[in-house]
Amino acid sequence: MRVTIVDSIMGKGKTSWALQYINESPAYKKFIYITPFLDEVERVIKSTPGREFFQPNNANNEGRKLRSLKELIVSGKNICATHSLFKSADEELIELLTEAGYTLILDEVMDVIETANITSQDIKALRDLGYIDIVNNRVRWVYEDYVEGRFYDIKLLAKAGNLFYHRDKFLIWAFPPKVFSAFDNVFVLTYLFNVQLQSYYYKLHDINYEIKSVSQDSNGRYNIGEYDPQREERAEVMKLIDIYNGPYNEVGEARNAFSVSWFRNASDTVLERVQKNIYSYFRNHCKVKGNELIWTTVKKNEIDLRGKGYAKSFTPVNLRATNEYSDRKALAYVFNRYLHPIERAFFEDNGITVNQDLLAVSDLLQWIWRSRIRNGESISLYLPSSRMRSLLKAWGSYEI
């Protein structure tokens, strides 16, 4: 197995290189292309006319795409699917992939660990009822007759062997590392990989990788070569971003302002003030219409911060790998990114140090790049968190 990280700033042609690589590869090579969104699946299929790609579907006895994925692997087909399906990988899938001769192209890093949606009281209840058992911190589902209900998702994760008991009170889902070793070659297309959770996950499981960058030559061909962050021209990127500096930022001066915990404790009065600031920024400062902007915040507080003229232009804070908003010129990122404490503890308990600041900038840049900046056009950005503003500026001057 060889793992190559194609690490370049957004818009440099990582996906274009991958499609070129597929199109120019010998016919006998088999690919599995994993991308975040279904519309990107369609793009891959249309962009590789000389090689037929198949999408997993529900038309099988189990009515599940995972079964379809396994059948396509058995048939030796080229496959294009989404992150969400790939994350459901189990031991059977790993066995089918092993020595099957596939190359994996992973467009953007995956969520390789997640905190399961269950309380410590519910975990205790499942153990007391004999539904689950804990063996070497791995959760084993015992009650086979449980076919539907509140904990069916927990059953599926446990049955796949990917669920772990952490610090005696949390359940953590972890993507099985053996999946990566089942491929002949792995390419991961992303930016700032060394601060992504997948890089910490690779370190945790001793998965070695090399980092390359992509460039385009005078003939229009894409090539991967030596990784050099100094070629990113960050100063030129910052010239395209007009970061708002004014009274609408006053509510975000505290370092933790707009974090998940800050929102949890924010009063209705504070949330109303933030909502008015967003409205005024778009309406009075930028003077834009709803189809010219995008905004984001903590999902639970979206309703609190919605306003006339911009409510329908909300996007998730972790939006990436889509061109749907490439015409938007005014942005509001009302969020202060910190790693979930449980996820941070998961790595630090295993001796892995997480760079929270650069991780926050990475996610912010991915979100910003959904706008027209990807086309080399200027944008206006409302970034009320003082921490996030300082981190973005520090990134722009290579201070982090």
Side-chain angles (χ1 to χ4, degrees), residues 179-195:
V179 172
F180 293 104
S181 61
F183 289 93
D184 286 4
N185 292 286
V186 175
F187 294 97
V188 181
L189 318 179
T190 191
Y191 178 55
L192 293 178
F193 179 76
N194 280 333
V195 296

Side-chain angles (χ1 to χ4, degrees), residues 69-136:
L69 174 61
K70 293 173 181 177
E71 291 173 351
L72 290 171
I73 292 170
V74 170
S75 300
K77 304 296 187 182
N78 294 296
I79 303 164
C80 194
T82 61
H83 281 198
S84 59
L85 175 58
F86 196 57
K87 284 166 61 177
S88 62
D90 56 15
E91 288 293 334
E92 183 183 11
L93 182 70
I94 295 169
E95 289 178 9
L96 293 174
L97 283 171
T98 303
E99 298 184 7
Y102 275 98
T103 291
L104 171 66
I105 296 181
L106 183 59
D107 199 342
E108 288 303 340
V109 292
M110 291 175 53
D111 294 325
V112 287
I113 69 162
E114 290 179 0
T115 306
N117 184 24
I118 185 172
T119 65
S120 57
Q121 292 86 351
D122 284 338
I123 297 171
K124 183 179 184 302
L126 289 177
R127 298 187 73 179
D128 291 344
L129 289 168
Y131 285 18
I132 63 173
D133 192 13
I134 310 295
V135 180
N136 296 326

Side-chain angles (χ1 to χ4, degrees), residues 1-277:
M1 178 193 63
R2 289 185 58 195
V3 178
T4 302
I5 311 300
V6 184
D7 190 322
S8 294
I9 195 168
M10 294 71 67
K12 287 297 184 181
K14 296 185 292 292
T15 302
S16 296
W17 169 83
L19 296 173
Q20 174 186 284
Y21 178 75
I22 292 171
N23 286 324
E24 296 180 353
S25 292
Y28 66 82
K29 292 199 72 168
K30 297 180 294 185
F31 292 91
I32 294 182
Y33 196 109
I34 302 297
T35 187
F37 301 106
L38 282 173
D39 58 351
E40 288 298 300
V41 170
E42 296 294 337
R43 176 190 175 189
V44 171
I45 292 173
K46 292 177 181 178
S47 301
T48 51
R51 189 183 302 268
E52 189 174 13
F53 272 85
F54 292 82
Q55 296 184 62
N57 57 58
N58 295 319
N60 54 70
N61 292 335
E62 296 180 13
R64 298 180 62 199
K65 288 187 177 181
L66 181 59
R67 173 51 54 194
S68 177
L69 174 61
K70 293 173 181 177
E71 291 173 351
L72 290 171
I73 292 170
V74 170
S75 300
K77 304 296 187 182
N78 294 296
I79 303 164
C80 194
T82 61
H83 281 198
S84 59
L85 175 58
F86 196 57
K87 284 166 61 177
S88 62
D90 56 15
E91 288 293 334
E92 183 183 11
L93 182 70
I94 295 169
E95 289 178 9
L96 293 174
L97 283 171
T98 303
E99 298 184 7
Y102 275 98
T103 291
L104 171 66
I105 296 181
L106 183 59
D107 199 342
E108 288 303 340
V109 292
M110 291 175 53
D111 294 325
V112 287
I113 69 162
E114 290 179 0
T115 306
N117 184 24
I118 185 172
T119 65
S120 57
Q121 292 86 351
D122 284 338
I123 297 171
K124 183 179 184 302
L126 289 177
R127 298 187 73 179
D128 291 344
L129 289 168
Y131 285 18
I132 63 173
D133 192 13
I134 310 295
V135 180
N136 296 326
N137 286 336
R138 188 187 297 268
V139 180
R140 187 168 63 93
W141 190 272
V142 179
Y143 183 43
E144 293 295 340
D145 292 336
Y146 188 89
V147 294
E148 62 178 346
R150 160 68 181 84
F151 303 111
Y152 188 68
D153 60 331
I154 301 297
K155 176 183 177 180
L156 292 178
L157 294 174
K159 295 292 287 183
N162 305 333
L163 197 61
F164 298 88
Y165 192 42
H166 187 61
R167 289 195 176 183
D168 296 328
K169 56 182 176 180
F170 305 120
L171 293 189
I172 295 283
W173 168 85
F175 187 73
K178 289 191 293 184
V179 172
F180 293 104
S181 61
F183 289 93
D184 286 4
N185 292 286
V186 175
F187 294 97
V188 181
L189 318 179
T190 191
Y191 178 55
L192 293 178
F193 179 76
N194 280 333
V195 296
Q196 304 291 340
L197 292 192
Q198 192 168 328
S199 75
Y200 301 129
Y201 166 91
Y202 277 1
K203 291 181 177 69
L204 180 62
H205 294 289
D206 295 320
I207 298 175
N208 296 319
Y209 58 87
E210 61 176 350
I211 299 183
K212 300 288 186 179
S213 289
V214 68
S215 60
Q216 189 176 21
D217 62 26
S218 57
N219 296 319
R221 284 187 52 79
Y222 293 93
N223 305 286
I224 56 172
E226 181 184 357
Y227 173 68
D228 183 3
Q230 295 298 323
R231 298 175 183 172
E232 293 172 3
E233 300 177 337
R234 296 181 184 181
E236 297 303 312
V237 172
M238 294 300 292
K239 289 178 182 178
L240 296 175
I241 306 176
D242 179 18
I243 304 174
Y244 173 79
N245 183 27
Y248 304 150
N249 287 337
E250 292 175 359
V251 70
E253 286 306 308
R255 182 169 175 80
N256 74 324
F258 299 105
S259 66
V260 171
S261 60
W262 182 90
F263 271 113
R264 189 184 303 124
N265 298 314
S267 66
D268 291 342
T269 301
V270 170
L271 292 176
E272 182 179 356
R273 180 183 176 188
V274 175
Q275 187 273 331
K276 289 180 178 178
N277 286 345

